[in-house]
């Protein structure tokens, strides 16, 4: 399924009711747009999307932009501090919030809390900024306890009245995998000393809390590796685990965005610095099953790194709202997805079609068998009238028979669905077997390449030794050359002396004559 283009003919006043389910749509925007960006923070409050900060072309941003999901128009939120509260018209967000990127933002009461991020204003520990949405006041929250080291690319999730902070990258580019807690009622920091094997240090991951007890961490990256693993921290026992995951295979990614809604964790975008992830995936957190919800074209804003996604409730329906990101260019479009209503009319055990049909079939068959065995005497005299009783029983039997036929039809449909699921499982198993063979082949090639590398390293070592011996030989040759030159010089000197001596004798003889 692909992303729809911006629909300029969309009825602005009723745009949300015209959307198809589970399909991304780019909204038309009236008026100017904010500057394109990524690694910003966003949150939905009521029917408004708040976007704070981010990065563009290596420059940190500090503005606060507001998108009205009714009028589809952007506006700039002018912040003020207590010092300039009477001069709100003259103050801008640039004078209040420091330009920040890779930070996190959550809504608590009538405030937005901004935590961490990278900024040119240095700080040793994490700072918590607040924006009061009623007064537009902005400032730094006073906290107690041992605050975590300053960082960006971390995750912040809400668990009851606590914020759970995990991982990130500090100012010295050190990767982190520690867990900290901020109590929002007392504004006190605490650290969780987790047990078992912690996830590898990482940043630009996502995290979610399930049942206010389990912290789930997915993806992210180190300075050289991109992850697609899922880790779970039990917030009661403080134990990490890496459970077995089922469903569709998900690719490694970082810079993606996630939002948890009714036990489903929606993941959008991300990438590995080379390719963006075009699929929107969903983790059913209670079952730990991945599934691909939809997919978009590559190189689109939804296949970007550093985008944001939020959840909005409009006229009783849930929508995903995505903004920004970078995929070779910076984006500032707003995308929405209308989610299907969740079926909560039946207990959880009967939400499977096969289970519901089987259970109903057993119940109806048992009731029908009991009713057909009953023998009603024709002259039975009851206080409320035998004819009426026989008519009522006959009607009930007919109703049960009709219900039985309907249940048998549902059971047949469920059986067919199970057959299709089995075929899909067989297909997945076949694909898995082929991938396993390919993996073994690649592993064999890697072993061969490693052996070849070892041989090359041995040859290189031998060549180094030969070069060292050649240097020694060359030194000896130089010494021999010098010795030869000295010997030749000595021979020339001896020859000259001999000639001089010989000339003197012959001259004496000649003189004597």
């Amino acid at each position: 399924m692909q992303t729809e283009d911006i629909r300029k003919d969309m009825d602005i006043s009723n745009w949300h009711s015209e959307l198809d389910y589970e399909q991304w749509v780019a909204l038309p925007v009236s008026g100017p747009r904010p500057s394109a960006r990524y690694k910003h923070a966003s949150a939905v409050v009521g029917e408004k999307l708040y976007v704070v900060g981010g990065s563009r072309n290596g420059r940190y941003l500090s503005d606060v932009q507001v998108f009205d999901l009714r009028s589809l128009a952007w506006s700039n939120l002018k912040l003020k501090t207590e010092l300039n509260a009477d001069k709100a018209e003259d103050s801008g967000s640039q004078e209040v919030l420091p330009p920040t990127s890779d930070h996190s933002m959550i809504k608590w009461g009538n405030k937005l809390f901004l935590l961490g991020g990278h900024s040119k204003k240095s700080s040793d520990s994490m700072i918590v900024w607040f924006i009061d949405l009623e007064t537009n006041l902005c400032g730094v929250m006073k906290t107690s306890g041992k605050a975590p080291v300053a960082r960006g690319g971390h995750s912040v999730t809400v668990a009851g009245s606590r914020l759970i902070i995990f991982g990130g990258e500090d100012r010295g580019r050190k990767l982190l995998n520690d867990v900290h807690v901020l109590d929002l009622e007392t504004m006190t920091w605490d650290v969780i000393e987790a047990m078992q094997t912690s996830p590898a240090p990482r940043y630009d991951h996502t995290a979610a809390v399930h049942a206010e007890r389990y912290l789930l961490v997915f993806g992210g990256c180190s300075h050289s590796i991109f992850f697609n693993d899922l880790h779970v921290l039990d917030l009661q026992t403080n134990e990490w685990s890496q459970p077995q995951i089922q469903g569709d295979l998900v690719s490694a990614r970082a810079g993606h965005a996630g939002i948890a809604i009714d036990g489903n964790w929606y993941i959008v975008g991300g990438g590995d610095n080379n390719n963006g992830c075009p699929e929107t995936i969903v983790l059913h957190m209670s079952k730990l099953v991945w599934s691909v919800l939809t997919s978009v074209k590559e190189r689109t804003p939804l296949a970007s790194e550093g985008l944001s996604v939020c959840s909005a409730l409009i006229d009783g329906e849930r929508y995903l709202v995505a903004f920004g990101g970078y995929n070779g260019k910076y984006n500032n479009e707003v995308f929405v997805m209308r989610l299907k209503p969740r079926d909560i009319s039946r207990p959880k055990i009967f939400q499977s079609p096969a289970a519901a049909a089987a259970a109903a079939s057993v119940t109806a068959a048992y009731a029908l068998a009991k009713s057909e065995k009953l023998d009603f005497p024709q002259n039975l005299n009851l206080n409320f009238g035998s004819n009426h009783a026989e008519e009522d029983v006959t009607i009930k039997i007919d109703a049960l028979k009709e219900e039985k036929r309907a249940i048998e039809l549902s059971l047949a449909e469920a059986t067919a669905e199970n057959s299709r699921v089995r075929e899909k499982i067989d297909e997945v198993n076949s694909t898995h077997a082929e991938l396993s063979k390919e993996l073994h082949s690649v592993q064999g090639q890697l072993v061969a390449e490693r052996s070849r590398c070892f041989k090359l390293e041995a040859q290189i070592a031998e060549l180094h030794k030969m070069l060292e011996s050649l240097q020694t030989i060359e030194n000896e040759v130089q010494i021999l050359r010098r010795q030869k030159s000295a010997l030749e010089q000595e021979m020339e000197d001896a020859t000259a002396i001999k000639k001089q001596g010989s000339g003197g004798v012959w001259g004496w003889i000649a003189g004597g004559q």
Side-chain angles (χ1 to χ4, degrees), residues 261-425:
I261 305 172
D262 295 333
N264 291 329
W265 192 13
Y266 298 87
I267 305 293
V268 183
D272 59 2
N273 285 341
N274 294 320
N275 299 297
C277 297
E279 66 274 6
T280 298
I281 56 178
V282 182
L283 178 69
H284 303 276
M285 293 190 284
S286 60
K287 301 177 183 178
L288 294 178
V289 176
W290 282 115
S291 60
V292 176
L293 183 64
T294 186
S295 186
V296 299
K297 296 179 180 178
E298 294 184 0
R299 311 297 295 180
T300 62
L302 289 167
S304 298
E305 298 179 37
L307 77 170
S308 64
V309 65
C310 300
S311 167
L313 184 65
I314 304 176
D315 291 343
E317 288 195 272
R318 280 287 174 189
Y319 297 81
L320 299 183
V321 183
F323 172 77
Y326 178 80
N327 60 349
K329 69 174 185 177
Y330 297 95
N331 302 296
N332 62 353
E333 293 185 13
V334 179
F335 290 85
V336 294
M337 174 189 285
R338 186 183 185 186
L339 298 178
K340 289 182 179 179
R342 186 184 180 192
D343 184 9
I344 58 174
S345 61
R346 294 177 293 172
K348 202 166 189 179
I349 191 173
F350 292 119
Q351 289 181 6
S352 165
S361 177
V362 171
T363 303
Y366 176 72
L368 182 60
K370 287 189 64 178
S371 64
E372 289 177 343
K373 289 180 180 179
L374 294 177
D375 184 14
F376 297 100
Q378 294 182 357
N379 297 325
L380 184 62
N381 186 15
L382 299 176
N383 293 332
F384 51 83
S386 60
N387 291 335
H388 291 291
E390 290 180 3
E391 290 177 1
D392 291 341
V393 171
T394 303
I395 292 173
K396 290 180 179 179
I397 291 174
D398 292 340
L400 286 172
K401 288 181 178 179
E402 184 65 29
E403 186 177 354
K404 180 185 177 184
R405 284 192 291 270
I407 290 172
E408 288 175 345
L409 179 60
S410 299
L411 184 58
E413 293 177 354
T415 302
E417 178 67 22
N418 286 340
S419 298
R420 288 192 290 270
V421 171
R422 288 194 190 96
E423 291 177 358
K424 186 176 181 180
I425 291 173

Side-chain angles (χ1 to χ4, degrees), residues 13 64 111 139 270 291 319 393 466 472:
S13 62
V64 180
K111 292 183 176 66
S291 60
Y319 297 81
V393 171
M466 292 176 63
T472 303

Side-chain angles (χ1 to χ4, degrees), residues 435-455:
L435 290 174
S436 297
K437 291 181 181 179
E438 185 175 350
L439 177 62
H440 290 314
S441 175
V442 171
Q443 288 175 340
Q445 294 177 9
L446 285 175
V447 171
E449 288 297 324
R450 287 175 183 169
S451 176
R452 182 167 169 268
C453 288
F454 289 148
K455 292 180 180 178

Side-chain angles (χ1 to χ4, degrees), residues 103-129:
H103 49 299
S104 298
M105 181 168 67
I106 61 101
K107 175 184 176 295
W108 182 252
N110 64 339
K111 292 183 176 66
L112 295 175
F113 287 161
L114 287 76
L115 295 93
H118 296 302
S119 175
K120 291 183 179 180
K121 292 187 176 181
S122 61
S123 173
D124 293 332
S125 58
M126 181 176 288
I127 297 177
V128 182
W129 288 83

Side-chain angles (χ1 to χ4, degrees), residues 22 67 81 123 164 194 274 386-387 459 463 466-467 472 504 506:
E22 298 181 350
F67 182 70
T81 65
S123 173
I164 313 298
N274 294 320
S386 60
N387 291 335
Q459 293 177 0
L463 289 174
M466 292 176 63
L467 288 173
T472 303
W506 288 109

Side-chain angles (χ1 to χ4, degrees), residues 467-482:
L467 288 173
E468 292 175 355
S469 61
L470 285 175
Q471 184 65 36
T472 303
I473 293 172
E474 186 176 350
N475 293 335
E476 293 178 354
V477 169
Q478 291 293 337
I479 293 171
L480 291 174
R481 285 176 178 171
R482 287 194 293 270

Side-chain angles (χ1 to χ4, degrees), residues 8-29:
K8 296 182 179 179
D9 59 340
M10 182 183 292
D11 182 5
I12 300 297
S13 62
N14 198 34
W15 63 266
H16 51 279
S17 63
E18 300 180 10
L19 303 183
D20 295 330
Y21 288 113
E22 298 181 350
Q23 182 173 345
W24 286 108
V25 175
L27 290 179
V29 174

